[in-house]
Amino acid sequence: MITLDQLIASIKGTLKSVDATLIVAQKSMDNIAGATGESSPMVYEMNRTLEEVQALARSIRVLVDHLERQPESLIRGK
């Protein structure tokens, strides 16, 4: 049978483990926030990439519109 002292010791050990886990989780969250914060290099590069993809989509739309109006331009090169 477990004594009250053993139970308390077990609970204290569990609480220490939970506390250590929470500290690690907080450090992980801080690292994630630093990597993905508004001014982080990763967010900057993602925004830049999205802008480039938008520009590419615009260029493709312009090309498709032109080819719809003048399909012969593929053959003639104009």
Side-chain angles (χ1 to χ4, degrees):
M1 184 152 216
I2 295 178
T3 66
L4 184 57
D5 288 340
Q6 290 172 326
L7 180 61
I8 290 171
S10 176
I11 291 171
K12 283 182 180 180
T14 302
L15 289 175
K16 283 183 182 179
S17 293
V18 168
D19 189 43
T21 302
L22 289 173
I23 289 170
V24 169
Q26 183 61 51
K27 286 181 181 178
S28 296
M29 293 300 292
D30 291 345
N31 288 338
I32 290 169
T36 59
E38 231 177 272
S39 61
S40 74
M42 185 169 71
V43 170
Y44 172 77
E45 288 299 324
M46 286 173 49
N47 285 332
R48 222 173 121 216
T49 300
L50 287 173
E51 289 170 2
E52 289 177 10
V53 169
Q54 287 174 334
L56 175 63
R58 250 181 273 137
S59 296
I60 291 172
R61 266 188 247 114
V62 168
L63 174 64
V64 168
D65 289 344
H66 176 75
L67 291 175
E68 284 178 342
R69 287 190 307 274
Q70 299 176 354
E72 71 280 356
S73 65
L74 277 176
I75 298 169
R76 296 185 183 160
K78 292 184 179 183

